[in-house]
Amino acid sequence: MKGAKSKGAAKAETKLAVKSKGAAPKGRKTKPAKDPNKPKRAPSAFFVFMDEFRKEFKEKNPKNKSVAAVGKAAGERWKSLSESDKAPYVAKANKLKGDYNKAIAAYNKGESAAAATKKAAPAAAKDEDDDEEESDKSKSEINDDDDDEGSDEDEDDDE
């Protein structure tokens, strides 16, 4: 059986096959697209602390480019801080969380109003897109017909 593939080789090929990003496996739902206008979530107290700590760490260790080293050092420092030392970071995080809640509430109100207008708008836009697609198709069909006629003439000359 020279040239025949073994079962193991067939399994390896299926494992190595590249899946397209656009298609979801059967039974799975695709994620909705992210809205760039949606406000970002508020950082936790630790991330507020990290913002400040990164600046200090870079000043003390300008040659260190490792993100992991900065994260480990910050984690150790955060664990060693007392509750009273963490209080300013917690307060700032709570303030940012309040600002986020206001922003997301405004976003959701605006989104519900925008959603109603978007439902009507795509229907009109779809009609315009259909007109453009039809004109594109007719142009390509005309060009294809011209190409076919020219190739028939060349074949006749050869015979």
Side-chain angles (χ1 to χ4, degrees), residues 4 8 12 20-22 29 43 63 66 71-72 74-75 81-82 88 133 144 147 157 159:
S20 63
K21 291 183 180 180
K29 296 180 181 178
K63 293 182 181 179
S66 174
K72 285 181 183 180
L81 291 177
S82 65
E133 287 179 16
D144 289 342
D147 292 342
D157 294 338
E159 292 177 1

Side-chain angles (χ1 to χ4, degrees), residues 23-93:
K26 291 182 181 178
R28 291 191 185 176
K29 296 180 181 178
T30 58
K31 290 183 179 180
K34 291 184 180 179
D35 185 2
N37 298 326
K38 187 175 182 181
K40 289 187 177 182
R41 288 185 64 188
S44 66
F46 176 70
F47 281 98
V48 173
F49 164 76
M50 277 287 292
D51 221 12
E52 187 177 302
F53 181 81
R54 275 190 205 100
K55 294 173 188 169
E56 292 175 18
F57 192 83
K58 284 184 181 180
E59 289 174 5
K60 292 179 184 176
N61 306 308
K63 293 182 181 179
N64 189 355
K65 303 285 183 187
S66 174
V67 175
V70 177
K72 285 181 183 180
E76 290 172 7
R77 169 96 61 89
W78 180 254
K79 286 179 185 178
S80 67
L81 291 177
S82 65
E83 292 300 318
S84 61
D85 292 337
K86 292 179 183 179
Y89 303 111
V90 173
K92 189 172 182 181

Side-chain angles (χ1 to χ4, degrees), residues 92-146:
K92 189 172 182 181
N94 287 336
K95 180 186 177 294
L96 292 171
K97 188 174 182 180
D99 293 344
Y100 167 76
N101 288 335
K102 289 177 187 175
I104 198 72
Y107 170 79
N108 288 335
K109 286 181 184 177
E111 183 177 291
S112 60
T117 58
K118 283 184 181 179
K119 287 181 182 177
K126 189 175 182 181
D127 292 338
E128 292 174 9
D129 290 341
D130 290 342
D131 294 340
E132 290 176 10
E133 287 179 16
E134 289 176 11
S135 63
D136 291 342
K137 287 179 184 176
S138 61
K139 289 177 186 174
S140 64
E141 289 173 359
I142 293 169
N143 291 338
D144 289 342
D145 292 341
D146 293 341

Side-chain angles (χ1 to χ4, degrees), residues 8-19:
K11 286 183 182 179
E13 284 181 15
T14 58
K15 288 181 182 178
L16 296 175
V18 177
K19 295 181 181 178

